[in-house]
Amino acid sequence: MRQRIPIPRLLRAMEFIGGDTEPAAVLDHTVRTAAELTGARYAALAVLNEDGNGIGHLVTHGTGPSPERLVRALLDGTSPRSPGILHVPLLVHGAKFGALQVADRADGRPFTAEDRQLLRILTTEAGIALGNARLHAAVRTQSRWMDSSLELSTALLADEEVDALTVVAEQARRLASAATGAVLEPTEDRDLRVVAASADAPPELIGAVIPGHALAVRQVLAGEPLDIEDPAGDPRIDADRAAIGLGPALLLPLASDGTVLGALALTRTPGAPPFSVPERAMTTQFAQQAALALLLARARRDREQLAVLEDRNRIARDLHDLVIQRLFAVGMVLEGAGRAVPEAADRLETAIRELDATIQEIRTAIFALQQSPDETPSGLRTRVLRETGAAAETLGFAPSVSFAGPVDALVPAPVEAQLIAALREGLSNAARHARASRVDVTVDAIAPLPDDRPAVTLTVTDDGVGIAPEQKRRSGLRNLRDRALTLGGDAWVAPGPDGRGTTLTWRVPR
């Protein structure tokens, strides 16, 4: 007896499937409809992964035989033939996408040619719906990545304070649904070191290294992206596991116009699915866009820094060529006046000393202006200026500062650390006890010790009330002397040069 084809149910199913844009919903409805149309107790639908070499999804309905034969048949390209089982391929845009299988009819009869025809119609409609769903998902994904690339470029180019590398890691991690995102930069030894990261615990990533001898490093620095399914067992990786992680990973070059700035690493948790073909394509495109934005941001910062350096050099030249020369001329006039008017010699000598101190301060400012901004924070000269600048708030005025000799080059790091601590203590004492209107700080790196050994001498002089006898035993002064003694030197306090105020001297061998 010929089976009657359930056209109304088929049309309703086709209408439902065709109107859905979610692949998972299409697959689930296709399986259930296949069982209903053929009267089968069991239906299964296996879908290939993006690479076509494995199963990406397996959807079943009801209870029946193991889907292993279906999976094996799909991967081998064969069609299982067995009583009570019906197998139909699923095509998307003409390409093999998966296979549908039904088994165990409820009435016990074998499946018919009409059943096969129903399933072919159903899978054809499902293939069209899946193709549209995949296209829709791809458009949404691409739009999201493009919007993120635009946001990244805007952030890097508009905000000079933004941490560009961290922004790249965060954006890539979010868009790729990765557990960690990291930016790695090449070192002098051609290793790759993590310099920025986005993860639940990014401090653990910072500083992790992939050694330069690893094949992965050579490939990525040559501009070749890597898809790593198992970093722990991949022979191309010989790294601190924190640098890549243990799950599926992508290692992409950050390159633009042949310039490789570093690499972008994205890692998923162990056991998570590997990155799909569209995801790999999108992340590669994102890495290229990020590299271009980073290059533009660096170029902008270089131009701004160059403009700043040019201004600093101009100011330094003006100070040297104009201000210092005029002060020298004034000093010579005052010296001549002192010889001509003996009764005013003392007052003129004081004015000349003030001019000398001012010239020393201007020379210090010129030296600082001529340094690169990147070099400035590390020198003793800058640290002294920073301490005296901070002390101005408590003193109520800025101390005068002068240097003798190339202090940045001559003073070793251990002495520098103790000298800064001694300066901080001396300025604090002047602010709390001296009631001074002037404080002079001098760092001398060329005056030797009495036995001619090279020395470093710090003096802090104020014009305050001096130190009372009971104050000479203060713990602060004792600490200053202890700091000097640890370096083989000494520290002491004496009246100022004109008998007023106090001079603290801290001197140690270089």
Side-chain angles (χ1 to χ4, degrees):
M1 182 176 179
R2 190 174 183 83
Q3 180 184 4
R4 183 180 178 183
I5 298 177
I7 296 299
R9 279 191 294 167
L10 177 61
L11 292 176
R12 286 196 301 272
M14 292 173 64
E15 180 182 6
F16 184 89
I17 292 173
D20 209 317
T21 59
E22 293 297 331
V26 172
L27 296 175
D28 184 68
H29 196 72
T30 299
V31 170
R32 288 190 286 105
T33 302
E36 292 175 6
L37 292 176
T38 59
R41 292 192 176 95
Y42 175 76
L45 179 58
V47 177
L48 293 171
N49 60 19
E50 295 285 350
D51 296 323
N53 56 8
I55 300 300
H57 295 282
L58 179 64
V59 184
T60 62
H61 175 76
T63 57
S66 169
E68 291 182 3
R69 294 184 61 190
L70 171 65
V71 171
R72 187 169 60 253
L74 179 57
L75 296 177
D76 295 342
T78 61
S79 179
R81 296 184 179 275
S82 176
I85 296 178
L86 185 58
H87 176 275
V88 178
L90 173 64
L91 306 179
V92 173
H93 296 154
K96 182 174 67 172
F97 185 78
L100 174 65
Q101 177 180 287
V102 295
D104 191 15
R105 279 187 58 158
D107 58 10
R109 295 179 180 178
F111 292 104
T112 65
E114 286 80 1
D115 292 326
R116 183 179 294 275
Q117 184 65 21
L118 283 172
L119 294 186
R120 284 178 175 170
I121 296 172
L122 181 64
T123 55
T124 298
E125 181 63 26
I128 295 172
L130 287 170
N132 293 337
R134 292 177 68 186
L135 181 61
H136 188 263
V139 169
R140 285 187 301 178
T141 300
Q142 186 172 16
S143 176
R144 192 172 72 250
W145 280 93
M146 291 178 65
D147 289 344
S148 182
S149 296
L150 178 60
E151 292 174 6
L152 172 67
S153 300
T154 302
L156 296 184
L157 297 178
D159 187 358
E160 62 182 11
E161 299 299 329
V162 72
D163 186 346
L165 299 181
T166 300
V167 170
V168 171
E170 290 174 349
Q171 290 273 42
R173 177 198 178 196
R174 177 175 60 84
L175 290 170
S177 300
T180 62
V183 175
L184 302 92
E185 287 187 343
T187 66
E188 294 181 358
D189 299 328
R190 301 291 289 176
D191 299 335
L192 279 179
R193 175 176 285 107
V194 176
V195 294
S198 173
D200 293 334
E204 297 180 2
L205 293 173
I206 303 298
V209 171
I210 307 178
H213 61 76
L215 179 60
V217 173
R218 298 199 299 271
Q219 288 180 316
V220 77
L221 291 182
E224 180 182 343
L226 284 85
D227 179 19
I228 306 166
E229 292 190 10
D230 180 17
D234 196 309
R236 297 172 295 178
I237 302 294
D238 179 14
D240 182 342
R241 290 186 175 184
I244 291 296
L246 298 177
L250 290 178
L251 191 60
L252 307 171
L254 289 171
S256 179
D257 292 333
T259 301
V260 179
L261 304 178
L264 173 64
L266 297 170
T267 308
R268 287 178 172 165
T269 55
F275 293 91
S276 65
V277 173
E279 287 174 331
R280 294 200 297 269
M282 290 297 177
T283 50
T284 300
Q285 183 179 356
F286 177 83
Q288 294 170 348
Q289 180 72 19
L292 178 59
L294 287 172
L295 278 177
L296 292 175
R298 288 185 179 184
R300 184 202 63 195
R301 287 194 294 271
D302 288 344
R303 288 195 300 271
E304 293 174 351
Q305 187 177 40
L306 181 60
V308 170
L309 290 176
E310 289 176 350
D311 276 346
R312 289 160 65 103
N313 287 332
R314 177 184 57 78
I315 295 170
R317 286 196 305 270
D318 291 346
L319 286 173
H320 182 272
D321 297 341
L322 300 178
V323 179
I324 288 183
Q325 296 302 325
R326 289 180 180 179
L327 290 175
F328 269 127
V330 172
M332 293 178 66
V333 171
L334 291 176
E335 286 182 356
R339 290 191 295 268
V341 187
E343 59 271 18
D346 290 343
R347 295 177 64 184
L348 291 174
E349 182 66 25
T350 301
I352 292 171
R353 286 201 302 270
E354 293 288 338
L355 285 176
D356 287 341
T358 302
I359 290 172
Q360 288 293 334
E361 292 178 10
I362 293 175
R363 283 177 169 167
T364 298
I366 291 173
F367 181 85
L369 287 169
Q370 291 173 336
Q371 304 306 301
S372 167
D374 293 335
E375 298 171 359
T376 302
S378 60
L380 173 60
R381 188 181 297 264
T382 299
R383 295 185 66 186
V384 169
L385 293 174
R386 185 185 299 126
E387 291 294 333
T388 55
E393 296 183 7
T394 54
L395 288 168
F397 55 87
S400 170
V401 184
S402 62
F403 299 91
V407 295
D408 287 342
L410 293 180
V411 180
V415 174
E416 176 181 330
Q418 295 295 340
L419 185 147
I420 292 297
L423 171 62
R424 191 177 298 127
E425 184 72 31
L427 292 172
S428 175
N429 288 337
R432 287 182 295 168
H433 305 292
R435 297 198 296 275
S437 61
R438 178 185 177 89
V439 173
D440 296 321
V441 175
T442 301
V443 179
D444 188 340
I446 55 177
L449 293 169
D451 59 4
D452 290 333
R453 286 184 297 162
V456 179
T457 304
L458 166 70
T459 57
V460 180
T461 302
D462 65 70
D463 63 352
V465 298
I467 297 181
E470 66 272 12
Q471 290 179 317
K472 293 183 179 180
R473 295 187 296 272
R474 285 203 313 264
S475 61
L477 298 177
R478 187 166 55 250
N479 290 338
L480 285 168
R481 191 164 188 267
D482 289 343
R483 290 182 184 279
L485 290 173
T486 60
L487 297 172
D490 200 358
W492 62 92
V493 175
D498 56 359
R500 294 187 303 133
T502 303
T503 296
L504 163 68
T505 303
W506 188 90
R507 185 170 63 187
V508 299
R510 279 200 278 112

